[in-house]
Amino acid sequence: MNFVMKQALGGATKDMGKMLGGEEEKDPDAERKEEERQEALRQQEEERKAKYAKMEAERESIRQGIRDKYGIKKKEEKEAEAQAAMEQASEGSLTRPKKAIPAGCGNEEEEEESIVDTVMKFLPGPFQDMFNKK
């Protein structure tokens, strides 16, 4: 009966043992194969990075050719020039450059006077005279 069972399964007795909960056979070269696989993956990754680095270098040379042809500067160059101009402008100064004061900031009295003047415009004539006699 056992023989018939083996024939019916097509000689898959090794797999049957695993399916029924038997121990798996340990491959003595499994660790070596895994190391080789990991090394192959690392090598593929390095080749891919080298390929894309080469492509990017080619693109950059084309970009530089276009920049040279049309007189365009790189963003880094523009930023460096702007920074140098700022440093050169403030080189002789002992303090940092003054910033413009935005409207609405500054002397509080001026704001109050402008509010009073605005209110005075809307008052009728006798009231304006009364407040102006101060």
PDB file of all heavy atoms in Angstrom, residues 69-99:
ATOM      1  N   LYS A  69      26.531  78.752 -23.821  1.00  0.00           N
ATOM      2  CA  LYS A  69      26.026  79.263 -25.098  1.00  0.00           C
ATOM      3  C   LYS A  69      25.148  80.492 -24.887  1.00  0.00           C
ATOM      4  O   LYS A  69      25.253  81.472 -25.626  1.00  0.00           O
ATOM      5  CB  LYS A  69      25.242  78.168 -25.809  1.00  0.00           C
ATOM      6  CG  LYS A  69      24.702  78.560 -27.162  1.00  0.00           C
ATOM      7  CD  LYS A  69      23.993  77.390 -27.816  1.00  0.00           C
ATOM      8  CE  LYS A  69      23.426  77.769 -29.166  1.00  0.00           C
ATOM      9  NZ  LYS A  69      22.731  76.633 -29.779  1.00  0.00           N
ATOM     10  N   TYR A  70      24.262  80.446 -23.866  1.00  0.00           N
ATOM     11  CA  TYR A  70      23.296  81.523 -23.657  1.00  0.00           C
ATOM     12  C   TYR A  70      23.671  82.462 -22.518  1.00  0.00           C
ATOM     13  O   TYR A  70      22.930  83.379 -22.195  1.00  0.00           O
ATOM     14  CB  TYR A  70      21.900  80.940 -23.417  1.00  0.00           C
ATOM     15  CG  TYR A  70      21.382  80.228 -24.636  1.00  0.00           C
ATOM     16  CD1 TYR A  70      21.353  78.845 -24.687  1.00  0.00           C
ATOM     17  CD2 TYR A  70      20.948  80.938 -25.747  1.00  0.00           C
ATOM     18  CE1 TYR A  70      20.889  78.183 -25.808  1.00  0.00           C
ATOM     19  CE2 TYR A  70      20.489  80.290 -26.873  1.00  0.00           C
ATOM     20  CZ  TYR A  70      20.456  78.898 -26.899  1.00  0.00           C
ATOM     21  OH  TYR A  70      20.003  78.252 -28.008  1.00  0.00           O
ATOM     22  N   GLY A  71      24.819  82.237 -21.889  1.00  0.00           N
ATOM     23  CA  GLY A  71      25.273  83.134 -20.829  1.00  0.00           C
ATOM     24  C   GLY A  71      24.449  83.034 -19.555  1.00  0.00           C
ATOM     25  O   GLY A  71      24.258  84.025 -18.851  1.00  0.00           O
ATOM     26  N   ILE A  72      23.948  81.866 -19.262  1.00  0.00           N
ATOM     27  CA  ILE A  72      23.136  81.652 -18.057  1.00  0.00           C
ATOM     28  C   ILE A  72      24.059  81.185 -16.933  1.00  0.00           C
ATOM     29  O   ILE A  72      24.961  80.396 -17.163  1.00  0.00           O
ATOM     30  CB  ILE A  72      22.049  80.591 -18.323  1.00  0.00           C
ATOM     31  CG1 ILE A  72      21.155  81.041 -19.474  1.00  0.00           C
ATOM     32  CG2 ILE A  72      21.227  80.336 -17.063  1.00  0.00           C
ATOM     33  CD1 ILE A  72      20.206  79.961 -19.956  1.00  0.00           C
ATOM     34  N   LYS A  73      23.791  81.675 -15.717  1.00  0.00           N
ATOM     35  CA  LYS A  73      24.600  81.259 -14.576  1.00  0.00           C
ATOM     36  C   LYS A  73      23.833  80.233 -13.750  1.00  0.00           C
ATOM     37  O   LYS A  73      22.608  80.230 -13.719  1.00  0.00           O
ATOM     38  CB  LYS A  73      24.940  82.457 -13.702  1.00  0.00           C
ATOM     39  CG  LYS A  73      25.824  83.456 -14.403  1.00  0.00           C
ATOM     40  CD  LYS A  73      26.184  84.590 -13.488  1.00  0.00           C
ATOM     41  CE  LYS A  73      27.079  85.570 -14.214  1.00  0.00           C
ATOM     42  NZ  LYS A  73      27.406  86.712 -13.353  1.00  0.00           N
ATOM     43  N   LYS A  74      24.583  79.394 -13.061  1.00  0.00           N
ATOM     44  CA  LYS A  74      23.979  78.410 -12.177  1.00  0.00           C
ATOM     45  C   LYS A  74      23.360  79.110 -10.974  1.00  0.00           C
ATOM     46  O   LYS A  74      23.750  80.218 -10.621  1.00  0.00           O
ATOM     47  CB  LYS A  74      25.041  77.440 -11.643  1.00  0.00           C
ATOM     48  CG  LYS A  74      25.391  76.318 -12.538  1.00  0.00           C
ATOM     49  CD  LYS A  74      26.382  75.429 -11.797  1.00  0.00           C
ATOM     50  CE  LYS A  74      26.415  74.051 -12.351  1.00  0.00           C
ATOM     51  NZ  LYS A  74      27.345  73.208 -11.626  1.00  0.00           N
ATOM     52  N   LYS A  75      22.405  78.467 -10.328  1.00  0.00           N
ATOM     53  CA  LYS A  75      21.790  79.034  -9.138  1.00  0.00           C
ATOM     54  C   LYS A  75      22.826  79.258  -8.051  1.00  0.00           C
ATOM     55  O   LYS A  75      22.807  80.270  -7.356  1.00  0.00           O
ATOM     56  CB  LYS A  75      20.683  78.109  -8.610  1.00  0.00           C
ATOM     57  CG  LYS A  75      19.459  78.090  -9.489  1.00  0.00           C
ATOM     58  CD  LYS A  75      18.390  77.203  -8.895  1.00  0.00           C
ATOM     59  CE  LYS A  75      17.174  77.155  -9.789  1.00  0.00           C
ATOM     60  NZ  LYS A  75      16.127  76.296  -9.252  1.00  0.00           N
ATOM     61  N   GLU A  76      23.729  78.288  -7.871  1.00  0.00           N
ATOM     62  CA  GLU A  76      24.744  78.427  -6.833  1.00  0.00           C
ATOM     63  C   GLU A  76      25.635  79.635  -7.104  1.00  0.00           C
ATOM     64  O   GLU A  76      26.002  80.363  -6.195  1.00  0.00           O
ATOM     65  CB  GLU A  76      25.606  77.162  -6.732  1.00  0.00           C
ATOM     66  CG  GLU A  76      24.859  75.935  -6.261  1.00  0.00           C
ATOM     67  CD  GLU A  76      24.735  74.897  -7.347  1.00  0.00           C
ATOM     68  OE1 GLU A  76      25.533  74.918  -8.298  1.00  0.00           O
ATOM     69  OE2 GLU A  76      23.834  74.057  -7.247  1.00  0.00           O
ATOM     70  N   GLU A  77      25.965  79.861  -8.382  1.00  0.00           N
ATOM     71  CA  GLU A  77      26.810  80.994  -8.727  1.00  0.00           C
ATOM     72  C   GLU A  77      26.078  82.301  -8.449  1.00  0.00           C
ATOM     73  O   GLU A  77      26.669  83.252  -7.927  1.00  0.00           O
ATOM     74  CB  GLU A  77      27.215  80.924 -10.195  1.00  0.00           C
ATOM     75  CG  GLU A  77      28.170  79.795 -10.525  1.00  0.00           C
ATOM     76  CD  GLU A  77      28.442  79.674 -12.014  1.00  0.00           C
ATOM     77  OE1 GLU A  77      27.933  80.508 -12.802  1.00  0.00           O
ATOM     78  OE2 GLU A  77      29.167  78.755 -12.403  1.00  0.00           O
ATOM     79  N   LYS A  78      24.792  82.357  -8.789  1.00  0.00           N
ATOM     80  CA  LYS A  78      24.003  83.568  -8.537  1.00  0.00           C
ATOM     81  C   LYS A  78      23.933  83.853  -7.042  1.00  0.00           C
ATOM     82  O   LYS A  78      24.090  84.996  -6.613  1.00  0.00           O
ATOM     83  CB  LYS A  78      22.591  83.404  -9.086  1.00  0.00           C
ATOM     84  CG  LYS A  78      22.505  83.441 -10.586  1.00  0.00           C
ATOM     85  CD  LYS A  78      21.066  83.272 -11.037  1.00  0.00           C
ATOM     86  CE  LYS A  78      20.961  83.220 -12.539  1.00  0.00           C
ATOM     87  NZ  LYS A  78      19.580  82.993 -12.985  1.00  0.00           N
ATOM     88  N   GLU A  79      23.684  82.818  -6.239  1.00  0.00           N
ATOM     89  CA  GLU A  79      23.595  82.994  -4.793  1.00  0.00           C
ATOM     90  C   GLU A  79      24.932  83.433  -4.220  1.00  0.00           C
ATOM     91  O   GLU A  79      24.995  84.294  -3.340  1.00  0.00           O
ATOM     92  CB  GLU A  79      23.126  81.700  -4.130  1.00  0.00           C
ATOM     93  CG  GLU A  79      21.690  81.346  -4.442  1.00  0.00           C
ATOM     94  CD  GLU A  79      21.294  79.962  -3.956  1.00  0.00           C
ATOM     95  OE1 GLU A  79      22.144  79.247  -3.377  1.00  0.00           O
ATOM     96  OE2 GLU A  79      20.135  79.590  -4.162  1.00  0.00           O
ATOM     97  N   ALA A  80      26.024  82.865  -4.723  1.00  0.00           N
ATOM     98  CA  ALA A  80      27.349  83.235  -4.237  1.00  0.00           C
ATOM     99  C   ALA A  80      27.647  84.696  -4.573  1.00  0.00           C
ATOM    100  O   ALA A  80      28.202  85.432  -3.738  1.00  0.00           O
ATOM    101  CB  ALA A  80      28.409  82.323  -4.838  1.00  0.00           C
ATOM    102  N   GLU A  81      27.283  85.138  -5.776  1.00  0.00           N
ATOM    103  CA  GLU A  81      27.507  86.524  -6.164  1.00  0.00           C
ATOM    104  C   GLU A  81      26.671  87.470  -5.322  1.00  0.00           C
ATOM    105  O   GLU A  81      27.132  88.527  -4.901  1.00  0.00           O
ATOM    106  CB  GLU A  81      27.192  86.718  -7.645  1.00  0.00           C
ATOM    107  CG  GLU A  81      28.232  86.142  -8.567  1.00  0.00           C
ATOM    108  CD  GLU A  81      27.895  86.351 -10.028  1.00  0.00           C
ATOM    109  OE1 GLU A  81      26.858  86.989 -10.321  1.00  0.00           O
ATOM    110  OE2 GLU A  81      28.667  85.886 -10.875  1.00  0.00           O
ATOM    111  N   ALA A  82      25.420  87.110  -5.053  1.00  0.00           N
ATOM    112  CA  ALA A  82      24.558  87.952  -4.222  1.00  0.00           C
ATOM    113  C   ALA A  82      25.118  88.052  -2.806  1.00  0.00           C
ATOM    114  O   ALA A  82      25.124  89.130  -2.202  1.00  0.00           O
ATOM    115  CB  ALA A  82      23.146  87.391  -4.198  1.00  0.00           C
ATOM    116  N   GLN A  83      25.586  86.948  -2.268  1.00  0.00           N
ATOM    117  CA  GLN A  83      26.178  86.930  -0.924  1.00  0.00           C
ATOM    118  C   GLN A  83      27.434  87.798  -0.895  1.00  0.00           C
ATOM    119  O   GLN A  83      27.652  88.558   0.037  1.00  0.00           O
ATOM    120  CB  GLN A  83      26.509  85.501  -0.503  1.00  0.00           C
ATOM    121  CG  GLN A  83      27.038  85.382   0.893  1.00  0.00           C
ATOM    122  CD  GLN A  83      26.001  85.722   1.945  1.00  0.00           C
ATOM    123  OE1 GLN A  83      24.809  85.671   1.700  1.00  0.00           O
ATOM    124  NE2 GLN A  83      26.465  86.078   3.110  1.00  0.00           N
ATOM    125  N   ALA A  84      28.267  87.695  -1.926  1.00  0.00           N
ATOM    126  CA  ALA A  84      29.486  88.496  -1.996  1.00  0.00           C
ATOM    127  C   ALA A  84      29.147  89.980  -2.083  1.00  0.00           C
ATOM    128  O   ALA A  84      29.807  90.815  -1.449  1.00  0.00           O
ATOM    129  CB  ALA A  84      30.327  88.072  -3.190  1.00  0.00           C
ATOM    130  N   ALA A  85      28.124  90.335  -2.832  1.00  0.00           N
ATOM    131  CA  ALA A  85      27.708  91.731  -2.949  1.00  0.00           C
ATOM    132  C   ALA A  85      27.223  92.265  -1.604  1.00  0.00           C
ATOM    133  O   ALA A  85      27.523  93.400  -1.224  1.00  0.00           O
ATOM    134  CB  ALA A  85      26.613  91.870  -3.997  1.00  0.00           C
ATOM    135  N   MET A  86      26.476  91.459  -0.859  1.00  0.00           N
ATOM    136  CA  MET A  86      25.995  91.875   0.459  1.00  0.00           C
ATOM    137  C   MET A  86      27.170  92.086   1.409  1.00  0.00           C
ATOM    138  O   MET A  86      27.203  93.038   2.182  1.00  0.00           O
ATOM    139  CB  MET A  86      25.031  90.833   1.032  1.00  0.00           C
ATOM    140  CG  MET A  86      23.672  90.825   0.381  1.00  0.00           C
ATOM    141  SD  MET A  86      22.767  92.337   0.678  1.00  0.00           S
ATOM    142  CE  MET A  86      22.417  92.154   2.412  1.00  0.00           C
ATOM    143  N   GLU A  87      28.129  91.183   1.379  1.00  0.00           N
ATOM    144  CA  GLU A  87      29.295  91.309   2.247  1.00  0.00           C
ATOM    145  C   GLU A  87      30.124  92.527   1.876  1.00  0.00           C
ATOM    146  O   GLU A  87      30.619  93.241   2.737  1.00  0.00           O
ATOM    147  CB  GLU A  87      30.146  90.041   2.175  1.00  0.00           C
ATOM    148  CG  GLU A  87      29.509  88.846   2.832  1.00  0.00           C
ATOM    149  CD  GLU A  87      30.303  87.569   2.625  1.00  0.00           C
ATOM    150  OE1 GLU A  87      31.389  87.631   2.015  1.00  0.00           O
ATOM    151  OE2 GLU A  87      29.832  86.515   3.073  1.00  0.00           O
ATOM    152  N   GLN A  88      30.247  92.772   0.585  1.00  0.00           N
ATOM    153  CA  GLN A  88      31.037  93.899   0.129  1.00  0.00           C
ATOM    154  C   GLN A  88      30.348  95.215   0.498  1.00  0.00           C
ATOM    155  O   GLN A  88      31.004  96.169   0.889  1.00  0.00           O
ATOM    156  CB  GLN A  88      31.228  93.824  -1.386  1.00  0.00           C
ATOM    157  CG  GLN A  88      32.251  94.800  -1.922  1.00  0.00           C
ATOM    158  CD  GLN A  88      32.473  94.608  -3.400  1.00  0.00           C
ATOM    159  OE1 GLN A  88      31.556  94.207  -4.111  1.00  0.00           O
ATOM    160  NE2 GLN A  88      33.675  94.895  -3.866  1.00  0.00           N
ATOM    161  N   ALA A  89      29.029  95.270   0.430  1.00  0.00           N
ATOM    162  CA  ALA A  89      28.287  96.481   0.768  1.00  0.00           C
ATOM    163  C   ALA A  89      28.416  96.802   2.253  1.00  0.00           C
ATOM    164  O   ALA A  89      28.507  97.960   2.646  1.00  0.00           O
ATOM    165  CB  ALA A  89      26.828  96.327   0.383  1.00  0.00           C
ATOM    166  N   SER A  90      28.419  95.798   3.094  1.00  0.00           N
ATOM    167  CA  SER A  90      28.479  96.024   4.539  1.00  0.00           C
ATOM    168  C   SER A  90      29.907  95.930   5.073  1.00  0.00           C
ATOM    169  O   SER A  90      30.108  95.933   6.274  1.00  0.00           O
ATOM    170  CB  SER A  90      27.578  95.023   5.257  1.00  0.00           C
ATOM    171  OG  SER A  90      28.045  93.714   5.048  1.00  0.00           O
ATOM    172  N   GLU A  91      30.885  95.860   4.189  1.00  0.00           N
ATOM    173  CA  GLU A  91      32.272  95.690   4.604  1.00  0.00           C
ATOM    174  C   GLU A  91      32.784  96.892   5.383  1.00  0.00           C
ATOM    175  O   GLU A  91      33.419  96.755   6.416  1.00  0.00           O
ATOM    176  CB  GLU A  91      33.153  95.442   3.379  1.00  0.00           C
ATOM    177  CG  GLU A  91      34.565  95.008   3.703  1.00  0.00           C
ATOM    178  CD  GLU A  91      35.295  94.631   2.435  1.00  0.00           C
ATOM    179  OE1 GLU A  91      34.934  93.604   1.838  1.00  0.00           O
ATOM    180  OE2 GLU A  91      36.221  95.372   2.060  1.00  0.00           O
ATOM    181  N   GLY A  92      32.499  98.121   4.928  1.00  0.00           N
ATOM    182  CA  GLY A  92      32.988  99.318   5.586  1.00  0.00           C
ATOM    183  C   GLY A  92      32.145  99.718   6.785  1.00  0.00           C
ATOM    184  O   GLY A  92      32.542 100.548   7.589  1.00  0.00           O
ATOM    185  N   SER A  93      30.982  99.168   6.934  1.00  0.00           N
ATOM    186  CA  SER A  93      30.065  99.530   8.004  1.00  0.00           C
ATOM    187  C   SER A  93      30.378  98.750   9.272  1.00  0.00           C
ATOM    188  O   SER A  93      30.727  97.581   9.228  1.00  0.00           O
ATOM    189  CB  SER A  93      28.634  99.234   7.556  1.00  0.00           C
ATOM    190  OG  SER A  93      27.744  99.501   8.604  1.00  0.00           O
ATOM    191  N   LEU A  94      30.226  99.432  10.412  1.00  0.00           N
ATOM    192  CA  LEU A  94      30.440  98.748  11.680  1.00  0.00           C
ATOM    193  C   LEU A  94      29.186  98.021  12.147  1.00  0.00           C
ATOM    194  O   LEU A  94      29.249  97.161  13.007  1.00  0.00           O
ATOM    195  CB  LEU A  94      30.866  99.757  12.758  1.00  0.00           C
ATOM    196  CG  LEU A  94      32.212 100.443  12.499  1.00  0.00           C
ATOM    197  CD1 LEU A  94      32.463 101.484  13.562  1.00  0.00           C
ATOM    198  CD2 LEU A  94      33.322  99.423  12.480  1.00  0.00           C
ATOM    199  N   THR A  95      28.070  98.407  11.618  1.00  0.00           N
ATOM    200  CA  THR A  95      26.809  97.755  12.004  1.00  0.00           C
ATOM    201  C   THR A  95      26.197  97.096  10.790  1.00  0.00           C
ATOM    202  O   THR A  95      26.616  97.319   9.660  1.00  0.00           O
ATOM    203  CB  THR A  95      25.821  98.783  12.569  1.00  0.00           C
ATOM    204  OG1 THR A  95      25.552  99.762  11.552  1.00  0.00           O
ATOM    205  CG2 THR A  95      26.381  99.468  13.793  1.00  0.00           C
ATOM    206  N   ARG A  96      25.189  96.330  11.046  1.00  0.00           N
ATOM    207  CA  ARG A  96      24.499  95.678   9.935  1.00  0.00           C
ATOM    208  C   ARG A  96      23.712  96.720   9.157  1.00  0.00           C
ATOM    209  O   ARG A  96      23.387  97.789   9.679  1.00  0.00           O
ATOM    210  CB  ARG A  96      23.579  94.573  10.448  1.00  0.00           C
ATOM    211  CG  ARG A  96      22.473  95.070  11.336  1.00  0.00           C
ATOM    212  CD  ARG A  96      21.624  93.894  11.809  1.00  0.00           C
ATOM    213  NE  ARG A  96      20.699  94.311  12.816  1.00  0.00           N
ATOM    214  CZ  ARG A  96      19.541  94.909  12.577  1.00  0.00           C
ATOM    215  NH1 ARG A  96      19.182  95.180  11.345  1.00  0.00           N
ATOM    216  NH2 ARG A  96      18.753  95.263  13.560  1.00  0.00           N
ATOM    217  N   PRO A  97      23.386  96.454   7.908  1.00  0.00           N
ATOM    218  CA  PRO A  97      22.641  97.433   7.118  1.00  0.00           C
ATOM    219  C   PRO A  97      21.252  97.658   7.718  1.00  0.00           C
ATOM    220  O   PRO A  97      20.637  96.744   8.258  1.00  0.00           O
ATOM    221  CB  PRO A  97      22.539  96.797   5.733  1.00  0.00           C
ATOM    222  CG  PRO A  97      23.117  95.447   5.837  1.00  0.00           C
ATOM    223  CD  PRO A  97      23.749  95.289   7.166  1.00  0.00           C
ATOM    224  N   LYS A  98      20.781  98.904   7.624  1.00  0.00           N
ATOM    225  CA  LYS A  98      19.477  99.240   8.176  1.00  0.00           C
ATOM    226  C   LYS A  98      18.387  98.688   7.282  1.00  0.00           C
ATOM    227  O   LYS A  98      18.491  98.680   6.061  1.00  0.00           O
ATOM    228  CB  LYS A  98      19.327 100.750   8.294  1.00  0.00           C
ATOM    229  CG  LYS A  98      20.246 101.359   9.319  1.00  0.00           C
ATOM    230  CD  LYS A  98      20.000 102.832   9.432  1.00  0.00           C
ATOM    231  CE  LYS A  98      20.919 103.435  10.477  1.00  0.00           C
ATOM    232  NZ  LYS A  98      20.715 104.877  10.585  1.00  0.00           N
ATOM    233  N   LYS A  99      17.340  98.269   7.924  1.00  0.00           N
ATOM    234  CA  LYS A  99      16.192  97.769   7.178  1.00  0.00           C
ATOM    235  C   LYS A  99      15.127  98.848   7.167  1.00  0.00           C
ATOM    236  O   LYS A  99      15.000  99.632   8.110  1.00  0.00           O
ATOM    237  CB  LYS A  99      15.647  96.497   7.819  1.00  0.00           C
ATOM    238  CG  LYS A  99      16.622  95.346   7.777  1.00  0.00           C
ATOM    239  CD  LYS A  99      16.022  94.122   8.403  1.00  0.00           C
ATOM    240  CE  LYS A  99      17.022  92.973   8.367  1.00  0.00           C
ATOM    241  NZ  LYS A  99      16.525  91.802   9.037  1.00  0.00           N
TER     242      LYS A  99
END
